[in-house]
Amino acid sequence: MSRRKRGLPIHGWVCLDKPLGMGSTQAVSAVRRLFDANKAGHAGTLDPLASGILPIALGEATKTVPFMMEARKVYRFAVEWGVSTDSVDREGAVTARSDVRPTVDQVKAALPAFVGEIEQTPPAFSAIKVDGRRAYDLAREGVELELKSRPVVVHSAEVVAAPDADHVEIRIETGKGVYVRSLARDLAAALGAEGHVSLLRRERVGPFGLENAVTLDSLEQMVHRGAASEGLLPVATALDDIPGLAVTDQDAFSLRQGRPIVLLPRQVETLLTRLREGSRTVSAFQDQTLVALGQLRAGRFEPDRVFNLQGSSSEGPRPER
């Protein structure tokens, strides 16, 4: 007899409000175990010292993870003035001290320089690979690292609180690859101060926000009362900004076989008006069930990823646009 694949075919997203002290891999394992899912992954690592939104994909939703890696993110973080650390957070070794305490007005005046496309050097304590090894492992061994700067995009930055002279809280909306700790480090340097990140919370990743987040405790309670599906969002949640195409049963069958389908001129025209600049990616739905992701080319829809969600109660309808 063949061995049964471990876990159940659970499909969907969990918008987890990750607690402090837990790594992203540990959080994925905990959610996968609660659902007894046979496949799981996450969209965007969140450090153990950070809390907040960690989108976790189960089953067929893992095929949409690449789209979430490009999603905008919103962070709220606190900079504690007076002390710099080698990791630019509260667990690092102290590297410098200063009596300089920037005012709120000084911080507000400095922030515009960190908005838009900027050059940013990742912190030494990061997951970037250097000669095949993680930078944070090398940094812990005392290896001097000179990581290359790279262009990143910060869409907005604002001061949201200043509880005392030693702290300021900032909210930023970013594109892919922005390090909050690097921004805090560079902001402190621009103000002639020493500082590190004492609090970090991710409030949004694309369509996943605090308004639809669940905690591990609440998920456990749902599972215990047999209502785990209440904590599951549709696979298509990750495709919120990708135009959708309604297809017939016959076209859906073709797409599931990996074959392209020919579109009507009016379908092509409608999709072209909704596509993001430079994108040709379209999602296909059969009776609100996600069938495929693919490209619009020369009047045809060519599938790249096909989804096996027929009869899946966990998929649910596509989110409202």
Side-chain angles (χ1 to χ4, degrees):
M1 293 178 64
S2 61
R3 293 182 61 186
R4 176 180 176 271
K5 189 173 182 180
R6 291 184 60 190
L8 301 173
I10 305 295
H11 311 299
W13 283 91
V14 174
C15 180
L16 182 68
D17 188 346
K18 187 191 78 67
L20 289 171
M22 175 177 282
S24 296
T25 301
Q26 185 182 359
V28 171
S29 297
V31 170
R32 181 178 181 179
R33 185 170 57 252
L34 282 171
F35 281 89
D36 191 23
N38 60 15
K39 189 187 299 185
H42 67 78
T45 300
L46 200 57
D47 292 341
L49 289 177
S51 67
I53 301 303
L54 179 65
I56 296 178
L58 300 178
E60 292 290 277
T62 57
K63 296 178 180 178
T64 66
V65 166
F67 294 91
M68 291 309 306
M69 302 304 288
E70 303 293 329
R72 290 192 182 193
K73 300 173 179 66
V74 175
Y75 296 91
R76 178 171 178 150
F77 65 100
V79 179
E80 182 174 330
W81 305 117
V83 174
S84 290
T85 69
D86 55 4
S87 59
V88 204
D89 60 35
R90 64 179 181 272
E91 285 203 345
V94 175
T95 57
R97 296 181 184 274
S98 169
D99 292 330
V100 176
R101 300 294 187 270
T103 66
V104 170
D105 288 341
Q106 288 174 324
V107 175
K108 288 181 178 179
L111 280 179
F114 298 93
V115 176
E117 183 172 310
I118 62 174
E119 286 289 322
Q120 187 183 74
T121 302
F125 286 79
S126 64
I128 291 175
K129 285 194 173 181
V130 179
D131 296 330
R133 297 188 62 191
R134 297 292 184 185
Y136 53 66
D137 288 330
L138 294 171
R140 291 188 184 111
E141 293 173 8
V143 177
E144 292 288 335
L145 298 176
E146 290 188 11
L147 299 178
K148 294 181 179 180
S149 67
R150 56 189 184 179
V152 297
V153 176
V154 177
H155 298 286
S156 65
E158 62 175 340
V159 175
V160 292
D164 52 52
D166 291 328
H167 299 85
V168 64
E169 293 185 14
I170 298 169
R171 179 181 285 113
I172 58 173
E173 182 178 6
T174 77
K176 180 181 179 181
V178 172
Y179 281 91
V180 173
R181 286 176 294 143
S182 290
L183 194 151
R185 175 200 64 203
D186 297 342
L187 176 63
L191 292 167
E194 303 296 339
H196 65 275
V197 174
S198 60
L199 177 148
L200 175 58
R201 183 160 173 78
R202 189 157 67 190
E203 298 182 336
R204 178 166 295 279
V205 178
F208 300 99
L210 295 174
E211 71 279 1
N212 54 13
V214 293
T215 64
L216 280 176
D217 286 343
S218 62
L219 272 180
E220 288 178 359
Q221 293 171 11
M222 292 175 193
V223 170
H224 289 157
R225 70 172 192 267
S229 61
E230 292 179 8
L232 202 59
L233 298 172
V235 172
T237 304
L239 310 177
D240 189 52
D241 59 349
I242 295 176
L245 169 70
V247 299
T248 64
D249 292 352
Q250 182 177 347
D251 283 343
F253 179 81
S254 296
L255 291 173
R256 290 190 176 104
Q257 301 302 309
R259 301 196 300 267
I261 59 174
V262 177
L263 304 181
L264 297 173
R266 60 177 176 78
Q267 290 177 304
V268 174
E269 183 178 350
T270 299
L271 290 171
L272 286 174
T273 62
R274 298 173 58 197
L275 283 168
R276 291 178 296 174
E277 184 177 355
S279 174
R280 284 290 184 268
T281 302
V282 174
S283 52
F285 288 79
Q286 174 195 21
D287 296 329
Q288 296 189 323
T289 296
L290 182 62
V291 175
L293 278 168
Q295 304 298 309
L296 180 63
R297 294 193 180 100
R300 303 198 310 173
F301 175 77
E302 302 179 358
D304 294 327
R305 293 179 177 86
V306 176
F307 296 84
N308 182 25
L309 296 169
Q310 303 100 305
S312 171
S313 60
S314 57
E315 162 56 4
R318 183 169 194 183
E320 292 293 332
R321 293 291 178 96

PDB file of all heavy atoms in Angstrom, residues 17 31 37 113 193 216 234 238:
ATOM      1  N   ASP A  17      -1.172  37.439  13.388  1.00  0.00           N
ATOM      2  CA  ASP A  17      -0.568  38.504  14.180  1.00  0.00           C
ATOM      3  C   ASP A  17       0.514  37.827  15.021  1.00  0.00           C
ATOM      4  O   ASP A  17       0.258  37.332  16.112  1.00  0.00           O
ATOM      5  CB  ASP A  17      -1.613  39.179  15.067  1.00  0.00           C
ATOM      6  CG  ASP A  17      -1.079  40.414  15.775  1.00  0.00           C
ATOM      7  OD1 ASP A  17       0.158  40.606  15.802  1.00  0.00           O
ATOM      8  OD2 ASP A  17      -1.898  41.188  16.317  1.00  0.00           O
ATOM      9  N   VAL A  31       1.125  27.142  12.821  1.00  0.00           N
ATOM     10  CA  VAL A  31      -0.133  27.247  12.070  1.00  0.00           C
ATOM     11  C   VAL A  31      -0.384  25.965  11.280  1.00  0.00           C
ATOM     12  O   VAL A  31      -1.513  25.444  11.249  1.00  0.00           O
ATOM     13  CB  VAL A  31      -0.102  28.473  11.130  1.00  0.00           C
ATOM     14  CG1 VAL A  31      -1.287  28.449  10.166  1.00  0.00           C
ATOM     15  CG2 VAL A  31      -0.117  29.758  11.944  1.00  0.00           C
ATOM     16  N   ALA A  37      -2.204  20.872   8.057  1.00  0.00           N
ATOM     17  CA  ALA A  37      -2.095  21.112   6.618  1.00  0.00           C
ATOM     18  C   ALA A  37      -0.877  20.395   6.044  1.00  0.00           C
ATOM     19  O   ALA A  37       0.155  20.270   6.701  1.00  0.00           O
ATOM     20  CB  ALA A  37      -1.997  22.607   6.340  1.00  0.00           C
ATOM     21  N   ALA A 113      14.092  62.945   3.598  1.00  0.00           N
ATOM     22  CA  ALA A 113      15.276  62.437   2.905  1.00  0.00           C
ATOM     23  C   ALA A 113      15.253  60.911   2.780  1.00  0.00           C
ATOM     24  O   ALA A 113      16.029  60.332   2.005  1.00  0.00           O
ATOM     25  CB  ALA A 113      16.540  62.871   3.645  1.00  0.00           C
ATOM     26  N   ALA A 193      22.929  61.637  16.174  1.00  0.00           N
ATOM     27  CA  ALA A 193      22.571  60.954  17.420  1.00  0.00           C
ATOM     28  C   ALA A 193      22.927  59.476  17.342  1.00  0.00           C
ATOM     29  O   ALA A 193      23.303  58.954  16.293  1.00  0.00           O
ATOM     30  CB  ALA A 193      21.071  61.112  17.686  1.00  0.00           C
ATOM     31  N   LEU A 216      -2.336  33.324  17.438  1.00  0.00           N
ATOM     32  CA  LEU A 216      -2.228  31.876  17.604  1.00  0.00           C
ATOM     33  C   LEU A 216      -3.222  31.368  18.640  1.00  0.00           C
ATOM     34  O   LEU A 216      -3.815  30.296  18.479  1.00  0.00           O
ATOM     35  CB  LEU A 216      -0.806  31.498  18.011  1.00  0.00           C
ATOM     36  CG  LEU A 216       0.227  31.428  16.887  1.00  0.00           C
ATOM     37  CD1 LEU A 216       1.612  31.146  17.461  1.00  0.00           C
ATOM     38  CD2 LEU A 216      -0.144  30.357  15.867  1.00  0.00           C
ATOM     39  N   PRO A 234      -9.459  33.259   1.708  1.00  0.00           N
ATOM     40  CA  PRO A 234      -9.361  32.598   0.401  1.00  0.00           C
ATOM     41  C   PRO A 234      -7.970  32.696  -0.220  1.00  0.00           C
ATOM     42  O   PRO A 234      -7.223  33.651   0.025  1.00  0.00           O
ATOM     43  CB  PRO A 234     -10.384  33.354  -0.449  1.00  0.00           C
ATOM     44  CG  PRO A 234     -11.340  33.952   0.523  1.00  0.00           C
ATOM     45  CD  PRO A 234     -10.533  34.279   1.741  1.00  0.00           C
ATOM     46  N   ALA A 238      -4.462  36.986  -1.886  1.00  0.00           N
ATOM     47  CA  ALA A 238      -3.143  37.506  -2.265  1.00  0.00           C
ATOM     48  C   ALA A 238      -3.140  38.151  -3.638  1.00  0.00           C
ATOM     49  O   ALA A 238      -2.173  38.813  -4.003  1.00  0.00           O
ATOM     50  CB  ALA A 238      -2.118  36.375  -2.232  1.00  0.00           C
TER      51      ALA A 238
END
